[in-house]
Amino acid sequence: MKNNNIYLDIHTIQTVPPSNINRDDIGSPKTAQYGGATRARVSSQAWKKAIRTYFLEYGNQTNVGIRSLEIPRYVAGKIREIDETIDSEEALSMAKKTLKSAGVNSNKENKTSALFFIGSQQASGLAQAAIDKLNKKSDLQEIIQDNPAIDIALFGRMVADDPKLNEDASSQVAHALSTHAVQTEFDYFTAIDDFSSSNNAGAGMLGTIEYNSSTLYRYANVAVHEFMNQIKNSEAAVSALKLFIEAFVKSMPTGKSNTFANQTLPQALLITVRPDRPVNLVSAFEKPVQSNQGYVDESIERLADEFTEVSKWVEDPYFTLAVNLENIGAAQETFPRLLEAFEQELTDILSDT
């Protein structure tokens, strides 16, 4: 290896039917202008929340982060897990005192002043410190910074009250954009009152829901070398990155999902691990795809073409893996086999560092 830098790029093409998975402040599907056209947009925050939820539900991870105002109660719960003889009120008081000593203040409602992101192991460490009556700020902050949960390492943590508790994100997640122009549509709906009288034909409720449908280009990257420094265990890091890819592919923001049942999976996936820099291939869609026979096939073709074009500007990747993306010099895999291949390839690279 020429250097110790390792960058993971994840690209997908994913079609989504009529839906409103990420709303703005007036309930409209989020959009963005790109290439002179209005595109459907799903914010990175919305999809990162879906990824974190996937970690909790399917990852079998014991150290996943909790982001909440209720951190004093969370740490108090950890205190009682360690020592059941401590009652709830005393545990909460101990948690608040320990968090304050660490620089994380809470109010009379036992909530932090802002959302705070903490891992399960970090919370357990603070709980033990509270029981042991440790109150030295530097020691407590070290507990908060040690053993970061995988989602805190990936997505970062910002603490305005004390920047020493910040955690730099090793991952970047782009806003998903449609590969084509979109128009917002309106669904007018009514609901009938089941107990309405026979002479009342009116609706019990009526309204409108805005929605659109789109074929999205989605992208994320991870500075693997930075993630390794955070996790400090190569086997655990590889396993976590494998889970991150799985969650990126299989997760879906939940906005209006009961209304639209928009539970799709990507139609194409491209994974690269590079030595020089991450590369976003959204430039493939600066000119919007135009079609009346679907957008997926041309979007996949453009992604492949852009990957080839970008290869003129960057170093050769360590390896490339793909599902349903031909003509890029990568073996076509099923998704489970791609994850297995990724695990083996990255493990081999890390063993050479």
Side-chain angles (χ1 to χ4, degrees):
M1 295 176 61
K2 295 181 180 179
N3 57 53
N4 292 326
N5 289 344
I6 307 171
Y7 297 98
L8 164 66
D9 284 334
I10 311 170
H11 315 262
T12 68
I13 298 295
Q14 183 168 354
T15 188
V16 183
S19 58
N20 189 349
I21 58 179
N22 187 205
R23 306 188 291 277
D24 66 14
D25 56 335
I26 60 172
S28 302
K30 288 186 177 180
T31 59
Q33 291 291 316
Y34 182 61
T38 300
R39 313 296 184 99
R41 176 172 67 91
V42 182
S43 73
S44 58
Q45 295 285 10
W47 227 301
K48 283 190 283 189
K49 176 60 170 68
I51 290 169
R52 291 181 54 237
T53 299
Y54 190 95
F55 288 165
L56 288 167
E57 292 182 357
Y58 302 105
N60 295 321
Q61 291 284 329
T62 59
N63 192 23
V64 176
I66 296 296
R67 186 173 62 184
S68 177
L69 298 173
E70 302 279 357
I71 296 305
R73 297 188 188 280
Y74 182 54
V75 174
K78 296 288 187 180
I79 290 172
R80 298 203 68 231
E81 287 179 11
I82 297 171
D83 188 346
E84 294 181 353
T85 64
I86 300 174
D87 64 38
S88 298
E89 187 173 340
E90 183 183 0
L92 182 58
S93 176
M94 293 167 63
K96 289 178 64 177
K97 182 178 179 181
T98 300
L99 284 165
K100 183 177 181 179
S101 296
V104 182
N105 295 318
S106 51
N107 57 27
K108 294 180 180 179
E109 287 73 39
N110 302 318
K111 296 180 180 181
T112 54
S113 57
L115 289 170
F116 191 78
F117 207 177
I118 191 170
S120 176
Q121 292 181 17
Q122 294 169 338
S124 294
L126 287 177
Q128 188 62 60
I131 292 172
D132 296 339
K133 295 181 169 46
L134 299 179
N135 57 17
K136 187 177 180 181
K137 184 174 184 179
S138 60
D139 291 343
L140 295 174
Q141 290 193 339
E142 185 176 347
I143 291 172
I144 293 175
Q145 292 169 314
D146 282 349
N147 300 310
I150 62 170
D151 45 351
I152 295 177
L154 286 167
F155 303 138
R157 173 177 60 204
M158 188 187 76
V159 183
D161 290 342
D162 195 335
K164 290 182 180 179
L165 297 177
N166 289 352
E167 185 77 40
D168 290 337
S170 58
S171 171
Q172 298 172 336
V173 180
H175 289 230
L177 283 180
S178 65
T179 64
H180 54 89
V182 299
Q183 287 186 329
T184 298
E185 299 181 73
F186 296 83
D187 176 36
Y188 172 78
F189 68 89
T190 64
I192 302 301
D193 186 338
D194 290 340
F195 284 106
S196 62
S197 60
S198 58
N199 62 356
N200 182 3
M205 182 180 69
L206 55 84
T208 60
I209 298 175
E210 296 183 56
Y211 67 92
N212 58 34
S213 57
S214 60
T215 294
L216 299 172
Y217 168 70
R218 299 175 51 215
Y219 168 75
N221 66 58
V222 181
V224 177
H225 51 284
E226 295 293 347
F227 188 65
M228 285 279 296
N229 289 336
Q230 294 167 303
I231 300 300
K232 295 181 173 57
N233 180 294
S234 60
E235 184 176 348
V238 172
S239 178
L241 290 172
K242 181 180 173 183
L243 176 61
F244 179 56
I245 295 171
E246 180 181 338
F248 187 84
V249 167
K250 293 186 176 182
S251 63
M252 175 66 72
T254 57
K256 294 292 183 181
S257 60
N258 289 343
T259 300
F260 293 102
N262 46 269
Q263 302 295 338
T264 63
L265 289 168
Q267 283 65 54
L269 169 66
L270 173 64
I271 300 289
T272 61
V273 173
R274 299 180 176 278
D276 51 350
R277 56 156 296 159
V279 180
N280 186 326
L281 299 177
V282 71
S283 46
F285 312 107
E286 195 272 341
K287 180 180 180 181
V289 175
Q290 295 183 349
S291 174
N292 59 6
Q293 295 183 329
Y295 299 109
V296 169
D297 289 346
E298 185 173 343
S299 296
I300 292 174
E301 183 177 343
R302 286 208 197 176
L303 182 62
D305 290 345
E306 189 69 7
F307 177 79
T308 301
E309 180 63 28
V310 164
S311 298
K312 301 174 184 177
W313 299 87
V314 293
E315 296 182 32
D316 291 339
Y318 290 125
F319 64 89
T320 302
L321 301 169
V323 179
N324 293 337
L325 201 71
E326 300 178 354
N327 304 321
I328 61 168
Q332 299 301 299
E333 305 281 2
T334 64
F335 185 55
R337 288 178 61 86
L338 179 144
L339 290 177
E340 292 175 2
F342 170 81
E343 183 176 24
Q344 184 60 57
E345 294 270 12
L346 185 57
T347 298
D348 291 345
I349 291 171
L350 295 177
S351 66
D352 291 338
T353 60

